[in-house]
Structures are given as C-alpha cells and as structure tokens.
Amino acid sequence: RTMTSLLTLRENLAQGQPVLGMWSVLPSAGNAEILGYAGMDFVILDMEHGPYDMRSVEEGIRACEVTGCAALVRVPGVVSAELQPVLNPGAAGIVFPRVASIADAEHAVQSVHFPPTGTRGMNPFTRAFQYDPSGTPLQPLSCVIVEDAGAVHDIDAILALPGLDMVYIGVYDLAVSLGHGSDVQHADVVSVTDMLRKKIVESHKVCGLMVRSEQELIAALQSGVKMIVWATDSALIRSAAHSVRESFDAAKQRSIS
C-alpha cells in the first residue's frame, strides 16, 4: 500500500495534476485515517510543529495507507536524528523545514537517496522494503520548504538540484525572515512569494503552497501550483466545533425569545 499510494501521487504529479493534502499536527492515526477517507491525496504528519514521535508517525503512515493516501512526514529540521527512523517505516515523502541555503537543500535531498547518489542508510529488513531483502526499496519524494531569506537568495541553485521533487513556500516563516513579522500580506512578502512560485513552476519542480480560501485556491491553481495544502487537522476540528457552538447559541437565543 505504501508503494501504491506513492506511485499514485507521483503519477498524478507527473501528469501535471494538482494534488490536495492537509497538515496533521495532532498525533492521531484516527485523524490521519479520516483525512484519507475524506479524499486527501496526501497528509503531512508534522514532527516540527506537532507532537508526533516515532510510534505515532508509523501509526499515521499505516492509517493513511489503508485509505490509499500518501503519508508525507515533516521532520524537525534539515539535520534530524529522526530521519532514518521515519524512512524505515515507509514514509511516502519527507518534508524538510528550515532550509536556509543550497547546502541545506543538498543535504536534505541526499539524505533520502541511497548511495551513490545519496547518504541514506540501508536496512532491507524494514517496512520500507516490506521486510524482504530482495524487495524493491521505497524511494520517497523529497520536499524542501523555502521559508528563509537565505534560501530565497539560493533559489536558482536549489531548483537545479537533481533528485529534488517538490519545493514548498512557507509564507509565515518567510514573512518573519524578511522582517515583517506575521504579516503574510505585506507587499514584500507577496512579491517574494510570487517570484518563488514563478521560478519553481518554470523549473518543472512541483510547487507547494498552503491556501486558506477558495479564492486563494483558484489563484494558486491558475499560477501552476500543484501541491495544494489546505489547513491543518487542528484548525479544521476547531472550526467545525466553533460552528456547532454558534448554531447552538443561535438556537438557544431563538427559543428564549
């Protein structure tokens, strides 16, 4: 199932089809499974901003696979002790945050590839090999997040890296790095984001971006973004619960009056 969900995601992207996913910051296999059954093409299990650990990551990967959804994992950083234990259970892709330079991007890409093109350690007695020494190893997708002014400066070199599949634009940290706090709508942030998006699309790498509304979704699709991330599981649950509360309060008010 790992290979099937990954191949499906790869095939859709190779055909130029946009794919939809969500961040999962709540370490729950049940939540990941729900997102998969809801039709997500991928779910990103978040070890940077969510409390995922080795056990919950593996459980999340299995839960996604049941639904045919590809499980990507955002590791805590470019150099991460958690990387190999995340690769072994069969993550369909690795998302690297805090990429600040071409050197960081090179390290990230190499770490998901086996020698001689990379530095990934090999153990065929793991889930990524289906526990079969003669099996075909899983080659996960590689994705770096451009969210630092240094990475913006090195973007042309980063996009030229062989073996790099996707580049995600992290607008929130990018705004901070550019000196504009959390103002993702600042003119400088919008300008840099547009420049990055254009370069990524023209390089034929997959461009990833988070959208928060149908208007942003349409604009992203029209500009060539193929990796669409919509919200997080925590935000989705909160929004739904808040909507229920508002409905209750409105009904209570009507019944009283």
Side-chain angles (χ1 to χ4, degrees):
R1 288 184 182 271
T2 301
M3 192 66 78
T4 300
S5 59
L6 173 57
L7 290 177
T8 299
L9 188 64
R10 280 191 183 277
E11 183 178 349
N12 287 337
L13 291 171
Q15 293 175 352
Q17 297 297 318
V19 294
L20 175 66
M22 280 191 175
W23 291 102
S24 175
V25 299
L26 303 175
S28 164
N31 284 352
E33 188 176 30
I34 289 169
L35 295 178
Y37 278 128
M40 295 300 109
D41 297 301
F42 64 91
V43 171
I44 309 175
L45 312 178
D46 194 350
M47 298 183 75
E48 183 190 19
H49 293 300
Y52 270 97
D53 57 17
M54 293 300 102
R55 180 172 181 176
S56 54
V57 162
E58 181 165 354
E59 291 172 348
I61 291 172
R62 293 177 188 274
C64 287
E65 290 171 4
V66 167
T67 71
C69 173
L72 312 183
V73 181
R74 173 159 69 176
V75 291
V78 175
V79 180
S80 174
E82 289 86 354
L83 181 59
Q84 190 68 50
V86 167
L87 290 167
N88 289 339
I94 305 295
V95 180
F96 293 92
R98 306 181 191 177
V99 172
S101 65
I102 178 60
D104 284 349
E106 286 176 334
H107 178 85
V109 173
Q110 289 174 0
S111 65
V112 300
H113 288 270
F114 293 109
T117 58
T119 59
R120 176 181 175 181
M122 178 176 288
N123 185 330
F125 305 100
T126 59
R127 191 168 184 271
F129 282 78
Q130 298 180 331
Y131 309 102
D132 181 1
S134 64
T136 301
L138 177 69
Q139 176 53 58
L141 293 164
S142 60
C143 175
V144 299
I145 303 182
V146 174
E147 54 188 347
D148 183 276
V152 174
H153 178 271
D154 289 353
I155 188 62
D156 291 330
I158 291 172
L159 292 174
L161 282 175
L164 175 61
D165 298 297
M166 303 183 288
V167 179
Y168 181 91
I169 305 172
V171 292
Y172 289 101
D173 280 316
L174 183 60
V176 173
S177 180
L178 294 174
H180 302 299
S182 60
D183 185 5
V184 297
Q185 300 301 326
H186 190 282
D188 289 347
V189 180
V190 172
S191 176
V192 171
T193 300
D194 288 344
M195 177 274 291
L196 289 171
R197 184 164 44 195
K198 185 173 184 293
K199 281 181 174 287
I200 297 166
V201 171
E202 290 178 347
S203 75
H204 302 296
K205 303 290 188 186
V206 174
C207 181
L209 193 67
M210 185 171 182
V211 300
R212 294 154 296 181
S213 66
E214 185 174 349
Q215 182 179 5
E216 289 186 0
L217 171 61
I218 292 172
L221 292 173
Q222 289 178 340
S223 66
V225 175
K226 300 301 182 187
M227 179 190 183
I228 299 291
V229 182
W230 192 309
T232 66
D233 53 0
S234 57
L236 198 66
I237 292 170
R238 185 189 186 283
S239 176
H242 183 66
S243 178
V244 170
R245 181 72 218 190
E246 287 185 322
S247 296
F248 173 80
D249 289 343
K252 183 174 68 172
Q253 185 63 38
R254 287 195 300 270
S255 67
I256 293 174
S257 52

